Amino acid sequence: MNVIYSLSTLPHFSKRSDTFKLDKFELYTAAISSLTRRHDGDYTIMHCDTRGAEFFERIGLAGLWNEIRLTIPDDFENINPRMFWAAGKLFALRETPAPLLMLDTDFIAWDLPPLGNNIVAAHRESLNPATYPPIEHFRMRSGYEFNPAYNYSAMPLNTAFLYLPDEEFKQYYTDCAINFMKSAWSCEDFLCYMVYAEQRLLAMCAEYRNRQADTLFEFDNRYNQSIYTHTWGAKQIMRDNPHELMRFCEKCKLRIKRDFPEWEYVIELIEKG
């Protein structure tokens, strides 16, 4: 099965002009995530824009994936990269045939559940109006219409883990999401618009197209990481606390040495950054 990841640098460069890099802990999780899937026989693909691919080549980690593909447009097809910072995931989905599994670079799937004909996402999210406001919140360009047949009370699907078995549905969802992003007026809302396109639309499209959507785990059980590792809010803790960063990275080093000894050389590359 194709397991895809994505890295787009445009959101970074839309705010800053310094050299692009990933945090050390995210390089470790990205490495272990891909190596785990490759060990189980999956084919891993990192979708990038031009500068993202150059970044992995520069630090020597491009070989962690079976393939790096330049499928994320360098200009985001004129989508606002500050509002839609995760749009690269939608482009990666659009360009990869289903069935496929998409993982965030901070998500490691140690053991995959049986994946059949149903959509499988990480978990459902509640319709907290601070994150998922009513559609009247959104300011859209002339000609865009919210589908009146959608169930706007459908609980959004978190896509840190997303299995899509069906090419027709995948294209329908990505077309809807990309059309929404292209049709939104630019504003300073950097959360609600993105999660509507990525997570709320997924749930509504699935229900509208009569596709069953399952979840890997329940939201309240998200910290019981026996079959997966997802760094969640621990990322900011590690950015703020050098001791926690060092502790996490040491665990990752031990895991690589134990499970993937032939890849032990990547530890030095990650440490160099």
Side-chain angles (χ1 to χ4, degrees):
M1 179 173 60
N2 286 333
V3 178
I4 69 171
Y5 304 81
S6 62
L7 176 69
S8 52
T9 61
L10 188 58
H12 170 89
F13 289 111
S14 69
K15 297 178 289 185
R16 305 168 60 175
S17 59
D18 58 341
T19 302
F20 176 83
K21 65 178 183 178
L22 288 177
D23 288 305
K24 188 186 300 185
F25 58 78
E26 191 148 9
L27 289 174
Y28 275 118
T29 55
I32 295 172
S33 182
S34 180
L35 294 176
T36 301
R37 292 294 90 236
R38 291 179 68 171
H39 181 268
D40 286 354
D42 294 317
Y43 188 85
T44 64
I45 304 166
M46 171 58 77
H47 291 266
C48 296
D49 55 18
T50 301
R51 288 183 288 197
E54 290 172 350
F55 165 73
F56 285 123
E57 290 288 349
R58 175 172 55 82
I59 65 174
L61 294 179
L64 284 170
W65 296 273
N66 291 107
E67 182 181 353
I68 287 186
R69 292 184 186 173
L70 291 172
T71 51
I72 299 177
D74 289 333
D75 64 353
F76 261 26
E77 297 182 356
N78 296 316
I79 290 169
N80 185 328
R82 298 189 69 188
M83 288 175 65
F84 296 107
W85 34 270
K89 295 173 66 172
L90 281 306
F91 291 121
L93 282 174
R94 184 182 68 181
E95 301 301 326
T96 310
L100 62 86
L101 172 63
M102 180 173 69
L103 298 176
D104 283 354
T105 53
D106 63 352
F107 196 107
I108 304 168
W110 301 111
D111 294 300
L112 291 182
L115 298 172
N117 296 322
N118 295 342
I119 298 164
V120 183
H123 60 78
R124 294 274 184 179
E125 299 193 350
S126 64
L127 285 170
N128 182 333
T131 305
Y132 296 103
I135 59 173
E136 291 77 18
H137 171 84
F138 300 105
R139 298 293 174 258
M140 310 301 292
R141 299 181 187 277
S142 176
Y144 182 86
E145 295 184 2
F146 289 93
N147 191 332
Y150 282 171
N151 174 15
Y152 289 92
S153 65
M155 295 176 66
L157 290 160
N158 184 284
T159 63
F161 176 107
L162 179 61
Y163 171 70
L164 294 178
D166 178 347
E167 178 66 19
E168 187 277 332
F169 172 77
K170 187 214 70 178
Q171 286 297 341
Y172 174 72
Y173 159 57
T174 54
D175 286 348
C176 289
I178 292 171
N179 182 42
F180 174 83
M181 293 188 290
K182 289 182 175 181
S183 301
W185 284 109
S186 291
C187 67
E188 297 299 307
D189 186 338
F190 302 149
L191 176 61
C192 296
Y193 280 78
M194 185 67 251
V195 295
Y196 181 91
E198 179 188 355
Q199 302 189 153
R200 192 174 180 189
L201 262 175
L202 174 61
M204 294 189 295
C205 287
E207 188 169 321
Y208 179 67
R209 287 297 181 99
N210 296 312
R211 299 304 200 277
Q212 175 66 35
D214 300 328
T215 56
L216 189 64
F217 50 87
E218 298 298 322
F219 180 77
D220 291 340
N221 197 35
R222 64 193 182 279
Y223 296 117
N224 180 16
Q225 302 191 16
S226 58
I227 63 169
Y228 67 90
T229 293
H230 192 194
T231 50
W232 299 96
K235 288 182 283 192
Q236 192 58 50
I237 294 173
M238 287 188 280
R239 292 186 182 110
D240 296 339
N241 189 322
H243 175 74
E244 290 300 320
L245 172 62
M246 182 179 67
R247 190 168 69 90
F248 180 82
C249 291
E250 288 302 315
K251 287 184 177 181
C252 291
K253 292 176 189 179
L254 291 173
R255 176 70 74 158
I256 291 172
K257 291 176 181 179
R258 189 192 76 184
D259 292 355
F260 315 107
E262 69 276 22
W263 290 90
E264 187 174 339
Y265 71 91
V266 305
I267 294 174
E268 182 178 354
L269 298 175
I270 291 172
E271 289 299 314
K272 289 179 180 178

